Amino acid sequence: MIVFAILLFLFGLVLSAFFSGSETGLYRVSRTRLVLDGLDGSRGAKAIVWLLNHPTLFVATALVGNNLANFLTSFALVLAIGSLYAESALAELIGPILMTPIVFVFGELLPKHWFFQAPYRLLCRVRPLLLLATVLFLPVSLLLAALAVALRALTGQTPFRLRLAMARGELAQVLRAGEEAGILHAGQRSLAGQLFDVGNQLAISFAVPLGRLSTVRLPIDRESIASEARRRNHPIVLVLRGDRIVGYLRYSELLTGEGKVEVRPVIRVSLTERHLTTLLRLYDVAGEVALLCDEHGDARSVVTRRQLLQPMIK
């Protein structure tokens, strides 16, 4: 019985090391390198890329595997202590406490450190076992994925919000490699990082309420509008036709321009539009002003191209 308990404990320890390390390796590995291997014909690399594209699945697999490993090590300790000290409550209490550092160091800490340092090499070695475990635990993993979907429907969030975090980590690796290879300068890497940090935020975070800007109806009274714009302390004056905003004027042109003032077009985007999407749309039409509109098409806020660019170059 003692021999069986020791073998079972060692198997559970190896299982814990395998799932803990491979999970860290999947977070750490370069997707770009795996994709290139897949393009070269590696089926294993293609399978790992597919797994990375479904983070809920591999997180659920690691969760099930670690729980199985913890159960086996705990059961092995109970068997061993029961065989050596049949009715000793003190031994049953002290035994797991003494073995916890061993399980933590060899089943969690060391494997995570190794896979963190060499994720690609170690993942290639354990890839068949990882894919086999994914297939074996698939029924339970799908059940956990369904639970995640149900929680997201109830709370609006999901317990497996990993895709964005993984994409950011992969982007950081690519940018760092580009700087080390001399392709990117430090300033370019910083700008690219800011682009992805800021670009996912809502454009309304950088906008100003509609009431902050001056408005004018056609025809234009240059002097009165310039005075109103100066009082509002904003370089943009919105032009109305009826109750609808059809364009904007620049305050600087009201002061220095001669003759007819040019009314420049605006674009309309949703209140839920992202920063980067709004900025790209402005560049596509060579525009400078975007109106953020609600579901009824009514403008609520205004954002300029300068307001969108400013946080990226800080």
Side-chain angles (χ1 to χ4, degrees):
M1 184 64 70
I2 295 296
V3 175
F4 174 74
I6 293 175
L7 293 176
L8 187 63
F9 176 80
L10 293 176
F11 178 71
L13 192 63
V14 171
L15 209 61
S16 176
F18 168 72
F19 284 107
S20 298
S22 59
E23 184 181 12
T24 300
L26 286 170
Y27 290 137
R28 179 70 174 166
V29 71
S30 171
R31 187 192 299 258
T32 305
R33 190 170 182 179
L34 289 173
V35 170
L36 292 176
D37 286 349
L39 292 176
D40 286 338
S42 172
R43 293 183 179 180
K46 292 179 181 179
I48 294 296
V49 171
W50 182 88
L51 203 58
L52 290 174
N53 289 332
H54 299 81
T56 302
L57 188 60
F58 81 72
V59 169
T61 300
L63 181 64
V64 174
N66 277 316
N67 276 277
L68 178 61
N70 292 334
F71 171 77
L72 291 177
T73 53
S74 301
F75 183 66
L77 286 175
V78 170
L79 282 180
I81 293 173
S83 299
L84 294 174
Y85 309 96
E87 297 181 356
S88 175
L90 183 62
E92 292 180 358
L93 178 64
I94 295 179
I97 295 176
L98 293 177
M99 296 304 295
T100 297
I102 296 177
V103 175
F104 174 72
V105 171
F106 294 100
E108 294 282 342
L109 189 60
L110 278 178
K112 286 181 178 294
H113 174 73
W114 291 335
F115 274 84
F116 185 85
Q117 296 296 328
Y120 179 82
R121 184 194 315 163
L122 293 179
L123 272 181
C124 287
R125 293 182 179 179
V126 303
R127 185 166 56 199
L129 293 177
L130 179 60
L131 297 177
L132 177 62
T134 302
V135 174
L136 290 177
F137 296 155
L138 189 59
V140 182
S141 301
L142 292 177
L143 181 62
L144 291 175
L147 179 61
V149 173
L151 290 175
R152 180 171 55 189
L154 291 174
T155 65
Q157 297 183 359
T158 172
F160 300 115
R161 300 185 65 181
L162 298 173
R163 188 181 299 274
L164 180 60
M166 291 176 62
R168 288 172 60 87
E170 292 161 6
L171 173 66
Q173 290 182 35
V174 172
L175 294 178
R176 184 164 52 249
E179 184 178 358
E180 292 173 354
I183 300 173
L184 294 176
H185 296 294
Q188 293 171 321
R189 175 186 170 188
S190 175
L191 179 61
Q194 283 288 95
L195 172 65
F196 284 90
D197 284 336
V198 177
N200 195 51
Q201 300 181 32
L202 293 176
I204 197 172
S205 304
F206 309 91
V208 296
L210 197 62
R212 282 276 308 274
L213 277 71
S214 303
T215 57
V216 59
R217 284 185 170 83
L218 300 174
I220 297 170
D221 182 351
R222 187 193 298 268
E223 293 184 3
S224 62
I225 294 304
S227 175
E228 176 69 12
R230 187 164 51 250
R231 187 178 69 83
R232 298 274 185 166
N233 193 30
H234 198 281
I236 298 299
V237 178
L238 299 177
V239 178
L240 300 175
R241 179 176 290 128
D243 293 330
R244 183 178 177 82
I245 300 172
V246 295
Y248 72 95
L249 304 172
R250 292 176 178 171
Y251 172 71
S252 58
E253 293 179 350
L254 292 173
L255 292 181
T256 60
E258 296 181 358
K260 186 177 180 180
V261 180
E262 180 182 0
V263 178
R264 302 174 184 270
V266 296
I267 67 170
R268 294 175 176 268
V269 299
S270 170
L271 282 173
T272 58
E273 198 71 72
R274 300 290 175 177
H275 168 283
L276 184 58
T277 307
T278 305
L279 182 60
L280 292 176
R281 287 190 60 183
L282 284 172
Y283 272 107
D284 285 342
V285 299
E288 294 185 11
V289 177
L291 302 179
L292 304 179
C293 305
D294 59 19
E295 61 273 12
H296 303 295
D298 298 327
R300 298 298 181 187
S301 299
V302 181
V303 67
T304 65
R305 188 165 65 184
R306 181 179 178 182
Q307 288 171 321
L308 296 174
L309 285 173
Q310 194 169 15
M312 294 171 53
I313 57 178
K314 285 183 178 180

